[in-house]
Amino acid sequence: MSTDQSTGTPTPDEHPGSRDDQHLADTHDTHDDAQDDDAQGDGEGVWSEDMELAPVHPGDRAPVEDEEGRQGERLQKVLARAGVGSRRVVEDMIDEGRIAVDGKTVLVQGMRVDPRTVQISVDGSRIEIRNDRVTYAMNKPYGVITAMSDDRGRATVGDMVGDLAKGLVHVGRLDQDTEGLLLLTTDGELAHRLAHPSYEVSKTYMAQVSGSVPRDLGKRLRHGVELEDGPVRVDSFQLMDTHAGQSVVELVLHEGRKHIVRRLLAEVGLPVTRLVRTAVGPVQLARMRTGVIRRLSRAEVGALQELVGL
């Protein structure tokens, strides 16, 4: 306690730091008021002298992209999963300039791609990299109709594929009495384009016919033969064998009209006794046995996609 010299009234002792504390409190209140003013201002955050950088407005921040989403996946990983080779092998192929993305040769490692939209080629051949679509080749037997089901109880390709893959559709048709290569796919757009006449996808047939083949028949067929529903011409024609009044011929055409091969050969005096389709575009029947179904390779699917502009 101390005494006021003018009044003699006792007063409490003043703490040595009380004036300093009051000054700091006043300063703190002033700083808080400044913060409140800033908060009510432009909303861009609070600035203080000890900050190195002004705070960033949320709208100015760069968007954070998902590692495996919008930025995509590393090209090496995508191609390794597609069976092209190990990641190390793919890296070597990139160094050798053998891989192209969307038509441009890849020159650097570590490129990211979106498997859903990108087109990748290896040594000039398109590679199918998506895993959500499948395409099969079937060697359709004689007597089986090209349909997924039949209300008359006849054997169908649908009976043969069963539950092989959900959403399978056949690409075009083969007559009931025609054998050979039939494609089936879960890719609706690919099926549409392969079957549509405007894309002019070639089909190759091997036909056994009755009679001898005239020397000039190939030229005549390439020039065009008039049928009841319009002219038809082949892309190529070749005599493969002849024996005991029977001949085997190979013809390639991009027509898709009903019974077109049988009607064409009948028109030139060579009725068909057996007909087998051996190729659709770049996909070959090769040595597939009757009734066998195989999944196309990624390279084969890629070739089909490239053929029809996908």
Side-chain angles (χ1 to χ4, degrees), residues 222-265:
R222 286 189 292 270
H223 185 267
V225 174
E226 190 71 32
L227 300 179
E228 64 273 15
D229 55 351
V232 58
R233 59 178 57 86
V234 303
D235 299 325
S236 68
F237 176 86
Q238 184 177 0
L239 174 63
M240 306 299 293
D241 192 21
T242 181
H243 179 72
Q246 296 283 314
S247 300
V248 177
V249 298
E250 180 188 78
L251 59 163
V252 179
L253 68 167
H254 52 264
E255 288 276 359
R257 284 178 276 172
K258 189 174 182 179
H259 304 304
I260 189 66
V261 175
R262 295 177 184 276
R263 291 192 291 129
L264 173 62
L265 292 176

Short mmCIF file of all heavy atoms in Angstrom, two decimals, residues 222-265:
data_model
loop_
_atom_site.label_atom_id
_atom_site.label_comp_id
_atom_site.label_asym_id
_atom_site.label_seq_id
_atom_site.Cartn_x
_atom_site.Cartn_y
_atom_site.Cartn_z
N ARG A 222 -15.34 -58.80 -111.39
CA ARG A 222 -14.78 -57.52 -110.92
C ARG A 222 -15.44 -56.34 -111.63
O ARG A 222 -15.56 -55.25 -111.06
CB ARG A 222 -13.27 -57.50 -111.13
CG ARG A 222 -12.49 -58.36 -110.13
CD ARG A 222 -10.98 -58.13 -110.22
NE ARG A 222 -10.45 -58.64 -111.49
CZ ARG A 222 -10.00 -59.87 -111.65
NH1 ARG A 222 -10.01 -60.74 -110.64
NH2 ARG A 222 -9.52 -60.26 -112.82
N HIS A 223 -15.85 -56.56 -112.85
CA HIS A 223 -16.53 -55.50 -113.60
C HIS A 223 -17.95 -55.28 -113.09
O HIS A 223 -18.46 -54.16 -113.08
CB HIS A 223 -16.55 -55.85 -115.09
CG HIS A 223 -17.13 -54.78 -115.94
ND1 HIS A 223 -18.46 -54.73 -116.29
CD2 HIS A 223 -16.54 -53.68 -116.50
CE1 HIS A 223 -18.68 -53.66 -117.03
NE2 HIS A 223 -17.54 -53.00 -117.18
N GLY A 224 -18.60 -56.39 -112.65
CA GLY A 224 -19.94 -56.26 -112.09
C GLY A 224 -20.95 -57.13 -112.81
O GLY A 224 -20.92 -57.25 -114.04
N VAL A 225 -21.85 -57.73 -112.04
CA VAL A 225 -22.92 -58.57 -112.58
C VAL A 225 -24.25 -58.01 -112.08
O VAL A 225 -24.41 -57.68 -110.90
CB VAL A 225 -22.75 -60.03 -112.12
CG1 VAL A 225 -23.95 -60.89 -112.56
CG2 VAL A 225 -21.44 -60.61 -112.65
N GLU A 226 -25.22 -57.94 -112.99
CA GLU A 226 -26.53 -57.38 -112.64
C GLU A 226 -27.42 -58.46 -112.03
O GLU A 226 -27.64 -59.51 -112.61
CB GLU A 226 -27.20 -56.81 -113.89
CG GLU A 226 -28.45 -56.01 -113.61
CD GLU A 226 -28.16 -54.67 -112.93
OE1 GLU A 226 -27.08 -54.09 -113.22
OE2 GLU A 226 -29.00 -54.23 -112.13
N LEU A 227 -27.92 -58.19 -110.81
CA LEU A 227 -28.87 -59.06 -110.15
C LEU A 227 -30.23 -58.36 -110.08
O LEU A 227 -30.34 -57.17 -110.42
CB LEU A 227 -28.39 -59.43 -108.75
CG LEU A 227 -27.05 -60.15 -108.66
CD1 LEU A 227 -26.70 -60.44 -107.20
CD2 LEU A 227 -27.05 -61.44 -109.47
N GLU A 228 -31.26 -59.06 -109.59
CA GLU A 228 -32.59 -58.47 -109.56
C GLU A 228 -32.69 -57.26 -108.64
O GLU A 228 -33.55 -56.39 -108.84
CB GLU A 228 -33.64 -59.51 -109.15
CG GLU A 228 -33.50 -60.07 -107.74
CD GLU A 228 -32.57 -61.26 -107.66
OE1 GLU A 228 -31.81 -61.50 -108.63
OE2 GLU A 228 -32.61 -61.95 -106.62
N ASP A 229 -31.81 -57.17 -107.64
CA ASP A 229 -31.84 -56.03 -106.73
C ASP A 229 -30.67 -55.07 -106.94
O ASP A 229 -30.31 -54.29 -106.07
CB ASP A 229 -31.86 -56.49 -105.27
CG ASP A 229 -30.69 -57.41 -104.93
OD1 ASP A 229 -29.97 -57.82 -105.85
OD2 ASP A 229 -30.51 -57.72 -103.74
N GLY A 230 -30.07 -55.15 -108.14
CA GLY A 230 -29.00 -54.22 -108.47
C GLY A 230 -27.68 -54.92 -108.77
O GLY A 230 -27.54 -56.12 -108.54
N PRO A 231 -26.72 -54.18 -109.30
CA PRO A 231 -25.43 -54.77 -109.67
C PRO A 231 -24.60 -55.12 -108.45
O PRO A 231 -24.74 -54.52 -107.38
CB PRO A 231 -24.77 -53.67 -110.50
CG PRO A 231 -25.35 -52.40 -109.97
CD PRO A 231 -26.77 -52.74 -109.62
N VAL A 232 -23.70 -56.09 -108.62
CA VAL A 232 -22.75 -56.44 -107.57
C VAL A 232 -21.43 -56.77 -108.23
O VAL A 232 -21.38 -57.37 -109.30
CB VAL A 232 -23.26 -57.66 -106.75
CG1 VAL A 232 -23.49 -58.87 -107.63
CG2 VAL A 232 -22.26 -58.01 -105.65
N ARG A 233 -20.36 -56.33 -107.59
CA ARG A 233 -19.02 -56.63 -108.11
C ARG A 233 -18.13 -57.09 -106.96
O ARG A 233 -18.34 -56.69 -105.81
CB ARG A 233 -18.41 -55.41 -108.80
CG ARG A 233 -18.26 -54.20 -107.93
CD ARG A 233 -17.60 -53.04 -108.68
NE ARG A 233 -18.31 -52.70 -109.88
CZ ARG A 233 -19.34 -51.84 -109.92
NH1 ARG A 233 -19.78 -51.26 -108.81
NH2 ARG A 233 -19.93 -51.57 -111.06
N VAL A 234 -17.17 -57.92 -107.29
CA VAL A 234 -16.26 -58.43 -106.27
C VAL A 234 -15.00 -57.59 -106.26
O VAL A 234 -14.65 -56.93 -107.24
CB VAL A 234 -15.91 -59.91 -106.51
CG1 VAL A 234 -17.17 -60.77 -106.57
CG2 VAL A 234 -15.08 -60.07 -107.78
N ASP A 235 -14.31 -57.62 -105.11
CA ASP A 235 -13.02 -56.93 -105.01
C ASP A 235 -11.91 -57.80 -105.60
O ASP A 235 -10.95 -57.28 -106.17
CB ASP A 235 -12.72 -56.60 -103.55
CG ASP A 235 -13.77 -55.67 -102.94
OD1 ASP A 235 -14.29 -54.80 -103.67
OD2 ASP A 235 -14.08 -55.82 -101.74
N SER A 236 -12.03 -59.11 -105.41
CA SER A 236 -11.07 -60.04 -106.00
C SER A 236 -11.71 -61.40 -106.19
O SER A 236 -12.69 -61.74 -105.51
CB SER A 236 -9.81 -60.15 -105.13
OG SER A 236 -10.10 -60.81 -103.91
N PHE A 237 -11.15 -62.19 -107.09
CA PHE A 237 -11.67 -63.53 -107.38
C PHE A 237 -10.50 -64.41 -107.78
O PHE A 237 -9.61 -64.00 -108.52
CB PHE A 237 -12.69 -63.48 -108.51
CG PHE A 237 -13.21 -64.82 -108.92
CD1 PHE A 237 -14.28 -65.40 -108.25
CD2 PHE A 237 -12.62 -65.53 -109.97
CE1 PHE A 237 -14.76 -66.64 -108.62
CE2 PHE A 237 -13.09 -66.78 -110.34
CZ PHE A 237 -14.17 -67.33 -109.66
N GLN A 238 -10.50 -65.65 -107.24
CA GLN A 238 -9.40 -66.57 -107.55
C GLN A 238 -9.89 -68.00 -107.56
O GLN A 238 -10.64 -68.42 -106.67
CB GLN A 238 -8.29 -66.41 -106.50
CG GLN A 238 -7.04 -67.24 -106.79
CD GLN A 238 -5.94 -66.99 -105.76
OE1 GLN A 238 -6.11 -66.19 -104.85
NE2 GLN A 238 -4.82 -67.69 -105.94
N LEU A 239 -9.48 -68.75 -108.58
CA LEU A 239 -9.76 -70.18 -108.65
C LEU A 239 -8.72 -70.91 -107.80
O LEU A 239 -7.52 -70.81 -108.03
CB LEU A 239 -9.69 -70.68 -110.09
CG LEU A 239 -9.83 -72.19 -110.30
CD1 LEU A 239 -11.20 -72.69 -109.84
CD2 LEU A 239 -9.59 -72.55 -111.78
N MET A 240 -9.18 -71.66 -106.79
CA MET A 240 -8.28 -72.32 -105.86
C MET A 240 -8.03 -73.77 -106.24
O MET A 240 -6.92 -74.29 -106.08
CB MET A 240 -8.85 -72.27 -104.44
CG MET A 240 -9.20 -70.86 -103.96
SD MET A 240 -7.77 -69.74 -103.91
CE MET A 240 -6.80 -70.49 -102.60
N ASP A 241 -9.06 -74.47 -106.76
CA ASP A 241 -8.92 -75.90 -107.07
C ASP A 241 -10.07 -76.33 -107.96
O ASP A 241 -11.15 -75.71 -107.95
CB ASP A 241 -8.92 -76.71 -105.78
CG ASP A 241 -8.49 -78.16 -106.00
OD1 ASP A 241 -7.83 -78.43 -107.03
OD2 ASP A 241 -8.82 -79.01 -105.15
N THR A 242 -9.85 -77.37 -108.70
CA THR A 242 -10.92 -77.96 -109.51
C THR A 242 -10.70 -79.46 -109.61
O THR A 242 -9.57 -79.93 -109.77
CB THR A 242 -10.96 -77.34 -110.92
OG1 THR A 242 -12.04 -77.91 -111.67
CG2 THR A 242 -9.65 -77.55 -111.66
N HIS A 243 -11.80 -80.24 -109.44
CA HIS A 243 -11.67 -81.69 -109.46
C HIS A 243 -13.05 -82.33 -109.65
O HIS A 243 -14.00 -81.98 -108.96
CB HIS A 243 -11.04 -82.20 -108.16
CG HIS A 243 -10.90 -83.68 -108.07
ND1 HIS A 243 -9.97 -84.38 -108.82
CD2 HIS A 243 -11.58 -84.61 -107.34
CE1 HIS A 243 -10.07 -85.66 -108.55
NE2 HIS A 243 -11.04 -85.84 -107.66
N ALA A 244 -13.11 -83.25 -110.56
CA ALA A 244 -14.31 -84.06 -110.79
C ALA A 244 -15.59 -83.22 -110.91
O ALA A 244 -16.59 -83.49 -110.25
CB ALA A 244 -14.46 -85.09 -109.67
N GLY A 245 -15.52 -82.21 -111.72
CA GLY A 245 -16.70 -81.39 -111.96
C GLY A 245 -17.02 -80.40 -110.86
O GLY A 245 -18.05 -79.71 -110.92
N GLN A 246 -16.17 -80.32 -109.85
CA GLN A 246 -16.35 -79.36 -108.75
C GLN A 246 -15.16 -78.40 -108.73
O GLN A 246 -14.02 -78.80 -109.01
CB GLN A 246 -16.45 -80.08 -107.41
CG GLN A 246 -17.66 -81.00 -107.27
CD GLN A 246 -18.94 -80.21 -107.00
OE1 GLN A 246 -18.96 -79.32 -106.17
NE2 GLN A 246 -20.00 -80.54 -107.73
N SER A 247 -15.42 -77.16 -108.39
CA SER A 247 -14.36 -76.15 -108.29
C SER A 247 -14.46 -75.43 -106.95
O SER A 247 -15.54 -75.32 -106.36
CB SER A 247 -14.47 -75.11 -109.43
OG SER A 247 -14.36 -75.74 -110.70
N VAL A 248 -13.32 -74.99 -106.47
CA VAL A 248 -13.27 -74.19 -105.25
C VAL A 248 -12.73 -72.81 -105.62
O VAL A 248 -11.65 -72.70 -106.22
CB VAL A 248 -12.38 -74.84 -104.18
CG1 VAL A 248 -12.29 -73.94 -102.94
CG2 VAL A 248 -12.91 -76.21 -103.81
N VAL A 249 -13.50 -71.79 -105.29
CA VAL A 249 -13.10 -70.43 -105.63
C VAL A 249 -13.09 -69.58 -104.36
O VAL A 249 -13.81 -69.84 -103.40
CB VAL A 249 -14.05 -69.80 -106.67
CG1 VAL A 249 -14.01 -70.58 -107.98
CG2 VAL A 249 -15.47 -69.72 -106.14
N GLU A 250 -12.24 -68.56 -104.38
CA GLU A 250 -12.22 -67.59 -103.29
C GLU A 250 -12.61 -66.23 -103.85
O GLU A 250 -12.10 -65.80 -104.89
CB GLU A 250 -10.82 -67.49 -102.68
CG GLU A 250 -10.72 -66.50 -101.53
CD GLU A 250 -9.30 -66.27 -101.07
OE1 GLU A 250 -8.57 -65.52 -101.76
OE2 GLU A 250 -8.91 -66.84 -100.03
N LEU A 251 -13.53 -65.56 -103.18
CA LEU A 251 -13.90 -64.22 -103.60
C LEU A 251 -14.01 -63.28 -102.41
O LEU A 251 -14.37 -63.71 -101.31
CB LEU A 251 -15.20 -64.23 -104.41
CG LEU A 251 -16.49 -64.76 -103.80
CD1 LEU A 251 -17.68 -64.28 -104.63
CD2 LEU A 251 -16.50 -66.29 -103.79
N VAL A 252 -13.66 -62.04 -102.65
CA VAL A 252 -13.71 -61.00 -101.62
C VAL A 252 -14.65 -59.91 -102.11
O VAL A 252 -14.53 -59.44 -103.25
CB VAL A 252 -12.31 -60.41 -101.37
CG1 VAL A 252 -12.39 -59.32 -100.30
CG2 VAL A 252 -11.33 -61.49 -100.96
N LEU A 253 -15.58 -59.53 -101.25
CA LEU A 253 -16.48 -58.44 -101.59
C LEU A 253 -16.93 -57.74 -100.32
O LEU A 253 -16.78 -58.27 -99.22
CB LEU A 253 -17.69 -58.94 -102.39
CG LEU A 253 -18.73 -59.83 -101.71
CD1 LEU A 253 -19.98 -59.92 -102.59
CD2 LEU A 253 -18.22 -61.23 -101.44
N HIS A 254 -17.44 -56.53 -100.46
CA HIS A 254 -17.90 -55.78 -99.28
C HIS A 254 -19.41 -55.60 -99.30
O HIS A 254 -19.94 -54.76 -98.59
CB HIS A 254 -17.19 -54.42 -99.20
CG HIS A 254 -17.27 -53.61 -100.45
ND1 HIS A 254 -16.27 -53.59 -101.39
CD2 HIS A 254 -18.24 -52.79 -100.90
CE1 HIS A 254 -16.60 -52.80 -102.38
NE2 HIS A 254 -17.80 -52.29 -102.11
N GLU A 255 -20.09 -56.40 -100.11
CA GLU A 255 -21.55 -56.39 -100.14
C GLU A 255 -22.09 -57.14 -98.92
O GLU A 255 -21.44 -58.04 -98.39
CB GLU A 255 -22.06 -57.08 -101.41
CG GLU A 255 -21.84 -56.25 -102.67
CD GLU A 255 -22.95 -55.24 -102.88
OE1 GLU A 255 -23.89 -55.20 -102.06
OE2 GLU A 255 -22.88 -54.49 -103.87
N GLY A 256 -23.30 -56.77 -98.49
CA GLY A 256 -23.90 -57.45 -97.36
C GLY A 256 -25.34 -57.88 -97.62
O GLY A 256 -26.05 -58.23 -96.68
N ARG A 257 -25.73 -57.88 -98.88
CA ARG A 257 -27.11 -58.25 -99.19
C ARG A 257 -27.35 -59.75 -98.97
O ARG A 257 -26.42 -60.55 -99.04
CB ARG A 257 -27.45 -57.89 -100.65
CG ARG A 257 -27.69 -56.40 -100.87
CD ARG A 257 -27.96 -56.09 -102.33
NE ARG A 257 -26.73 -55.94 -103.09
CZ ARG A 257 -26.70 -55.82 -104.42
NH1 ARG A 257 -27.82 -55.89 -105.12
NH2 ARG A 257 -25.55 -55.65 -105.05
N LYS A 258 -28.60 -60.09 -98.73
CA LYS A 258 -28.95 -61.46 -98.39
C LYS A 258 -28.60 -62.43 -99.51
O LYS A 258 -28.91 -62.19 -100.67
CB LYS A 258 -30.45 -61.54 -98.08
CG LYS A 258 -30.89 -62.86 -97.50
CD LYS A 258 -32.35 -62.82 -97.08
CE LYS A 258 -32.78 -64.14 -96.44
NZ LYS A 258 -34.20 -64.09 -96.01
N HIS A 259 -27.95 -63.54 -99.13
CA HIS A 259 -27.57 -64.61 -100.07
C HIS A 259 -26.74 -64.07 -101.25
O HIS A 259 -26.77 -64.64 -102.33
CB HIS A 259 -28.81 -65.33 -100.61
CG HIS A 259 -29.70 -65.90 -99.58
ND1 HIS A 259 -29.28 -66.80 -98.63
CD2 HIS A 259 -31.03 -65.69 -99.34
CE1 HIS A 259 -30.30 -67.13 -97.85
NE2 HIS A 259 -31.37 -66.47 -98.24
N ILE A 260 -26.01 -63.00 -101.04
CA ILE A 260 -25.36 -62.33 -102.16
C ILE A 260 -24.36 -63.22 -102.89
O ILE A 260 -24.30 -63.23 -104.13
CB ILE A 260 -24.70 -61.02 -101.70
CG1 ILE A 260 -24.22 -60.19 -102.88
CG2 ILE A 260 -23.56 -61.29 -100.73
CD1 ILE A 260 -25.32 -59.68 -103.75
N VAL A 261 -23.56 -63.99 -102.16
CA VAL A 261 -22.55 -64.83 -102.82
C VAL A 261 -23.21 -65.94 -103.61
O VAL A 261 -22.86 -66.21 -104.77
CB VAL A 261 -21.57 -65.41 -101.78
CG1 VAL A 261 -20.59 -66.38 -102.46
CG2 VAL A 261 -20.81 -64.30 -101.08
N ARG A 262 -24.18 -66.61 -103.03
CA ARG A 262 -24.89 -67.69 -103.72
C ARG A 262 -25.60 -67.17 -104.96
O ARG A 262 -25.57 -67.81 -106.03
CB ARG A 262 -25.88 -68.36 -102.77
CG ARG A 262 -25.21 -69.08 -101.60
CD ARG A 262 -26.25 -69.67 -100.64
NE ARG A 262 -25.61 -70.27 -99.48
CZ ARG A 262 -25.11 -71.51 -99.45
NH1 ARG A 262 -25.21 -72.29 -100.53
NH2 ARG A 262 -24.54 -71.98 -98.36
N ARG A 263 -26.26 -66.03 -104.83
CA ARG A 263 -27.00 -65.50 -105.98
C ARG A 263 -26.06 -65.05 -107.09
O ARG A 263 -26.32 -65.24 -108.28
CB ARG A 263 -27.88 -64.32 -105.53
CG ARG A 263 -29.04 -64.76 -104.65
CD ARG A 263 -30.05 -63.63 -104.47
NE ARG A 263 -29.53 -62.54 -103.67
CZ ARG A 263 -29.58 -61.26 -104.02
NH1 ARG A 263 -30.09 -60.92 -105.20
NH2 ARG A 263 -29.10 -60.31 -103.22
N LEU A 264 -24.93 -64.46 -106.70
CA LEU A 264 -23.95 -64.01 -107.69
C LEU A 264 -23.38 -65.17 -108.48
O LEU A 264 -23.32 -65.14 -109.73
CB LEU A 264 -22.82 -63.25 -106.99
CG LEU A 264 -21.62 -62.84 -107.84
CD1 LEU A 264 -22.04 -61.89 -108.95
CD2 LEU A 264 -20.53 -62.24 -106.96
N LEU A 265 -22.94 -66.22 -107.79
CA LEU A 265 -22.33 -67.35 -108.48
C LEU A 265 -23.36 -68.14 -109.28
O LEU A 265 -23.05 -68.68 -110.37
CB LEU A 265 -21.62 -68.25 -107.48
CG LEU A 265 -20.36 -67.61 -106.84
CD1 LEU A 265 -19.77 -68.53 -105.78
CD2 LEU A 265 -19.32 -67.28 -107.90
#
